[in-house]
Amino acid sequence: MDKSLLKINNLKASVTETEEKILNGLNLTIGKGETHAIMGPNGGGKSTLVNVIAGKDSYTVDSGEIKFEQEDLIEMPVDERAKKGIFMAFQYPSEIPGVRPWQFIKASVDAKRKFEGEKELSVREFSKKYDQNLEIVGINQDLMKRSLNEGFSGGEKKRNEVFQMLMLEPNLALLDETDSGLDVDALKSVGDVVNRMRNDDRSFLIVTHYQRLLEHIRPDHVHVLIKGKIVQSGGYELVKKIEDNGYESFE
Amino acid sequence: MEYFKHYQKNFNELLKSSDDVDFRKKNFEFFSKNGFPVKKKSDERWKYLDLRSLEKKLYSHDLSNYAEGLTLNDLGLEEKNTIKVINGVAEYSKIAGLDLMSSDSYKHVATYNEDEFISLNASMSYKPIYMSINSNFIGDKLNIVYYSNSDKDILECPRICLKVDSDIHLTLNEIFICSETVTLKLPVTELTLCKNSKVFHNLVFQSSFNENNFKFTRVDQQENSYYKFTSFSNSSLIAANDLKVSMNGENSECDLKGIYFTTKNSQFNTHVVVDHNVPNTKSNQYFKGILSDESRAVFSGKIYVERNAQKTYAEQKDLNLVMSKGAEIDTKPSLEIYADDVECSHGATAGHVDESTLYYMMSRGIDRKTATQMLVNGFASEIIDEISDENIKMFAKDQSDKILPKLTFEV
């Protein structure tokens, strides 16, 4: 049986509006329970890759395929991908005036449960989980009384993304530069949550510029993405090599 | 035009039974000189609206007072301290602390020559109310409920002039209940806020596609008074929310907010003016619109700062969500400042539902339609939540919950 969760073959993708080519024949396979990290210079295509997996329509897939649990993802609407277990922690989460975090996350959790044929969580069950997870991520309840992400600091927004990941329990979590702009404590907290969530069925794809977060997480696989292609893959030792020699040695 | 003759005849009849003859005559003269402001190029308020229908249909008073069909409890509203305005005529039982004034002892806030609709109201108003609210007023709430019930095409010109005495705190709710009546409503509310008074004014329009409703609110703020205005409006055939606040006393402050939904072929006009006439006053205008179908909305807002009105702090914002290709918003914020030590800001936006926000929401498993509704609902709640009276807030929320699923979302 195929143990892969996500399989990307020869993926070429461009920016819809400008037709600028970003991904140029990318291959990547993520097995169940594996944690992968993608590193690379700015403009290499890291963010594009995770957004294409999540389904953002400002990118167009020109050729190639993306399979998630053997199912073709490319034509699937964004919300359906999410309901099937793909989650993305955004680099720049949206601020939504007048929408409370509680209401938003309840709607997300309910949508997913409904899709899976399960009953909605009662307010009590949901609240319990909500409060527990807030504490794990270290978010103050008062902050969550505001509109979603409105008036949140950069770090608070990132913690809120990680909190949503905890609530939604995805099979595949995409972390798009979740570590940027975080202080040491917040970084450790994000790392702890990821480590705590790792299990045999859940996989992570972590996009980052720095080794800091990866020191906490110790990914199983590390890839270097340059000019829309993965130029080298390896284990955690690759992180050290990048740190010592920079990306130029891979080009 | 035929309508001039028609209103002249109605006016002559009404004049026989009126005491404030000079006031009425002066107003009617102004109206008959100008007529309805149909495509009046020089007037920013009306030039974008199509008011031609007002010239074609002839509206007359219907003074047979049918209150049937209006049950406030069913609507979550209270009977207590309520003035009912049926077909434009106010009726109420005696309310302690609310004293009638004579028409000549009230200093009008609205002027006879500022607007043709206001002049028509003043000349044709049947039994206008002049009242002062004093410390014997029990409870802190006064409701004014407007309702029409007639099988004719009716003209309604209610005028309510309220003087809020010093140190009084009042919640004033004005609610327009929808009806099937074909009507031209020209309600004018004048408020005088005496020293240290506080008024929380909530205004709700329920949708009605038989109604033309031009609502005018004129406010005089005296020293250290506070005025908060929050409006919720649902589409009517043609409607206007026309508000003018004059800051005439130092250290007075006003906070003016509103949300307008426009659907089908409705036209809605929001016109807000704040005159800062003295130093050390503060004002905020924050209005939002949600436009769909073939509807049209106009926002014209003005901050006026008099030469001596130093240390004025004034803000103005109008944000619009345009949900369909056929809808149109004309938004025109303006500042007219003659003092030099002031802080003023203004801004206006008109846009579609933000795609990147929708993507964010959908990436959490929420489908596009639900996500859009949540966004629009959130956009509206920011204003609805400001309604200071819980019953009225629920009433408005209920309205918006009914509209949201009906809105069409084309991008």
Side-chain angles (χ1 to χ4, degrees):
Chain A
M1 208 184 101
D2 191 351
K3 288 264 292 182
S4 77
L5 181 67
L6 182 80
K7 203 163 187 169
I8 299 178
N9 280 325
N10 199 21
L11 180 67
K12 293 184 181 176
S14 52
V15 178
T16 308
E17 207 174 279
T18 61
E19 295 182 12
E20 185 194 351
K21 290 180 169 43
I22 309 282
L23 301 178
N24 299 307
L26 183 139
N27 294 298
L28 177 68
T29 301
I30 298 179
K32 281 185 182 161
E34 292 176 358
T35 297
H36 290 237
I38 296 225
M39 301 186 76
N42 283 331
K46 303 189 297 295
S47 267
T48 303
L49 174 63
V50 282
N51 276 296
V52 167
I53 298 170
K56 188 172 191 176
D57 67 3
S58 56
Y59 296 106
T60 303
V61 172
D62 300 315
S63 64
E65 58 174 15
I66 310 175
K67 299 254 184 194
F68 180 70
E69 293 190 314
Q70 282 85 55
E71 224 179 321
D72 196 1
L73 268 194
I74 291 169
E75 294 301 321
M76 199 184 284
V78 177
D79 57 311
E80 203 177 318
R81 299 185 200 203
K83 284 183 267 213
K84 292 213 154 120
I86 296 177
F87 175 89
M88 181 157 106
F90 280 57
Q91 186 180 1
Y92 303 111
S94 297
E95 297 182 3
I96 312 182
V99 175
R100 308 276 159 225
W102 199 93
Q103 171 201 4
F104 177 68
I105 297 165
K106 176 95 168 55
S108 313
V109 171
D110 286 345
K112 194 174 172 195
R113 290 182 71 92
K114 196 174 160 199
F115 183 80
E116 288 163 348
E118 289 180 63
K119 260 179 51 183
E120 287 184 5
L121 284 180
S122 71
V123 170
R124 204 172 147 178
E125 289 167 309
F126 178 80
S127 292
K128 196 176 154 197
K129 204 171 154 189
Y130 187 88
D131 292 345
Q132 279 171 351
N133 285 337
L134 276 185
E135 203 175 318
I136 290 169
V137 188
I139 297 180
N140 191 322
Q141 289 270 8
D142 284 342
L143 186 71
M144 302 300 262
K145 286 177 186 145
R146 296 184 193 170
S147 293
L148 187 70
N149 289 324
E150 239 188 13
F152 285 38
S153 70
E156 285 165 344
K157 283 183 184 167
K158 295 296 175 69
R159 279 187 199 254
N160 188 21
E161 293 296 287
V162 172
F163 168 65
Q164 291 176 46
M165 176 169 78
L166 261 170
M167 289 300 295
L168 285 162
E169 302 173 341
N171 303 346
L172 174 64
L174 313 165
L175 274 66
D176 189 9
E177 296 196 23
T178 302
D179 52 349
S180 64
L182 290 188
D183 61 31
V184 186
D185 292 338
L187 201 69
K188 184 173 179 306
S189 155
V190 171
D192 287 345
V193 172
V194 171
N195 286 336
R196 156 187 202 122
M197 289 182 76
R198 283 165 87 169
N199 64 32
D200 291 346
D201 292 319
R202 182 171 295 134
S203 310
F204 289 86
L205 179 59
I206 296 163
V207 167
T208 182
H209 274 292
Y210 314 103
Q211 67 170 36
R212 294 185 307 174
L213 180 64
L214 302 181
E215 276 171 15
H216 287 287
I217 295 176
R218 298 266 167 172
D220 308 308
H221 302 273
V222 176
H223 312 275
V224 180
L225 179 59
I226 295 176
K227 291 179 182 157
K229 266 186 173 170
I230 288 177
V231 294
Q232 191 162 354
S233 298
Y236 180 64
E237 72 287 346
L238 202 53
V239 176
K240 181 90 177 64
K241 198 175 155 195
I242 294 165
E243 202 69 21
D244 292 344
N245 307 326
Y247 293 119
E248 274 176 25
S249 60
F250 296 95
E251 291 193 38
Chain B
M1 286 219 195
E2 197 194 343
Y3 78 90
F4 280 112
K5 263 191 255 164
H6 170 77
Y7 291 115
Q8 180 77 55
K9 188 169 151 261
N10 277 254
F11 174 68
N12 292 343
E13 260 165 53
L14 193 69
L15 208 56
K16 291 178 205 159
S17 59
S18 307
D19 45 11
D20 46 357
V21 173
D22 290 345
F23 175 70
R24 285 177 189 268
K25 274 188 172 165
K26 193 166 63 174
N27 275 282
F28 193 75
E29 224 168 79
F30 181 77
F31 171 76
S32 50
K33 200 171 72 193
N34 298 292
F36 290 117
V38 175
K39 294 268 171 192
K40 203 174 157 188
K41 289 277 177 294
S42 59
D43 196 331
E44 288 293 338
R45 290 175 296 167
W46 309 116
K47 76 174 185 187
Y48 300 105
L49 296 184
D50 186 353
L51 302 175
R52 283 174 298 180
S53 61
L54 300 180
E55 297 179 325
K56 287 175 198 141
K57 209 184 265 296
L58 302 175
Y59 300 88
S60 309
H61 280 303
D62 180 352
L63 304 175
S64 50
N65 210 324
Y66 304 109
E68 297 99 40
L70 178 65
T71 38
L72 296 181
N73 287 333
D74 293 355
L75 296 161
L77 305 172
E78 294 163 66
E79 291 276 353
K80 201 186 145 207
N81 288 1
T82 295
I83 298 173
K84 291 180 192 166
V85 182
I86 315 286
N87 294 348
V89 184
E91 61 158 57
Y92 55 97
S93 31
K94 172 131 183 67
I95 300 170
L98 208 63
D99 295 336
L100 286 180
M101 297 168 72
S102 64
S103 60
D104 49 3
S105 65
Y106 185 82
K107 189 171 168 277
H108 280 283
V109 188
T111 49
Y112 77 94
N113 59 355
E114 66 172 289
D115 189 282
E116 290 79 9
F117 290 114
I118 294 182
S119 336
L120 188 58
N121 165 289
S123 52
M124 304 285 261
S125 182
Y126 187 73
K127 290 189 182 166
I129 294 186
Y130 297 90
M131 279 177 166
S132 72
I133 295 195
N134 57 49
S135 54
N136 295 326
F137 184 65
I138 302 188
D140 52 1
K141 200 192 283 185
L142 178 65
N143 303 308
I144 304 172
V145 178
Y146 298 85
Y147 183 66
S148 314
N149 187 1
S150 174
D151 48 13
K152 306 187 183 91
D153 300 342
I154 62 169
L155 174 71
E156 301 175 74
C157 298
R159 178 173 288 228
I160 295 175
C161 304
L162 267 185
K163 179 167 161 274
V164 182
D165 279 357
S166 299
D167 302 303
I168 299 288
H169 293 190
L170 173 75
T171 295
L172 175 65
N173 298 319
E174 286 191 279
I175 306 118
F176 288 90
I177 308 291
C178 70
S179 78
E180 297 295 312
T181 308
V182 178
T183 159
L184 172 58
K185 272 188 171 75
L186 307 172
V188 176
T189 306
E190 296 184 52
L191 298 172
T192 305
L193 273 64
C194 297
K195 195 174 167 184
N196 299 332
S197 63
K198 272 190 184 174
V199 174
F200 299 86
H201 187 181
N202 303 306
L203 173 62
V204 177
F205 296 81
Q206 210 177 16
S207 160
S208 169
F209 280 88
N210 288 322
E211 296 196 354
N212 300 288
N213 188 350
F214 299 85
K215 168 72 168 80
F216 295 83
T217 309
R218 293 292 178 266
V219 185
D220 165 18
Q221 277 196 258
Q222 297 173 6
E223 199 183 331
N224 205 32
S225 62
Y226 176 81
Y227 178 64
K228 176 161 176 152
F229 172 90
T230 313
S231 65
F232 172 93
S233 43
N234 202 342
S235 327
S236 294
L237 207 53
I238 312 176
N241 180 8
D242 191 303
L243 171 66
K244 184 171 173 182
V245 179
S246 305
M247 317 288 282
N248 297 323
E250 285 200 40
N251 301 315
S252 52
E253 181 181 344
C254 67
D255 186 13
L256 318 172
K257 296 194 168 103
I259 175 94
Y260 42 93
F261 283 89
T262 61
T263 57
K264 299 183 191 167
N265 59 343
S266 66
Q267 302 185 66
F268 191 80
N269 184 5
T270 305
H271 178 238
V272 186
V273 178
V274 179
D275 282 348
H276 291 267
N277 297 323
V278 294
N280 296 310
T281 58
K282 193 176 166 189
S283 72
N284 179 34
Q285 302 175 28
Y286 188 38
F287 286 79
K288 284 184 163 187
I290 298 167
L291 292 80
S292 53
D293 306 325
E294 305 286 310
S295 65
R296 180 152 204 181
V298 179
F299 176 86
S300 57
K302 189 170 180 181
I303 298 170
Y304 177 88
V305 183
E306 188 65 73
R307 192 174 303 277
N308 69 335
Q310 303 296 3
K311 307 281 179 200
T312 289
Y313 182 88
E315 279 182 293
Q316 180 190 75
K317 228 189 253 175
D318 176 50
L319 312 178
N320 293 281
L321 263 182
V322 182
M323 310 294 298
S324 68
K325 287 190 187 84
E328 190 178 322
I329 169 80
D330 293 286
T331 174
K332 189 179 176 292
S334 74
L335 301 177
E336 206 175 315
I337 301 172
Y338 297 99
D340 49 20
D341 185 14
V342 299
E343 212 175 305
C344 295
S345 70
H346 68 130
T349 63
H352 299 294
V353 173
D354 182 49
E355 277 301 317
S356 61
T357 307
L358 276 182
Y359 167 56
Y360 181 71
M361 298 173 88
M362 288 171 74
S363 82
R364 300 304 189 244
I366 300 170
D367 64 80
R368 193 180 176 89
K369 192 170 179 206
T370 310
T372 311
Q373 283 189 8
M374 276 177 93
L375 265 184
V376 177
N377 190 36
F379 183 81
S381 338
E382 230 195 355
I383 302 292
I384 297 173
D385 287 344
E386 293 281 328
I387 295 177
S388 61
D389 183 290
E390 280 308 311
N391 289 339
I392 307 301
K393 191 193 289 182
M394 289 311 292
F395 185 75
K397 264 203 195 312
D398 193 47
Q399 297 291 303
S400 104
D401 287 348
K402 279 182 192 146
I403 314 163
L404 280 175
K406 284 189 211 151
L407 294 183
T408 47
F409 310 118
E410 318 155 18
V411 186

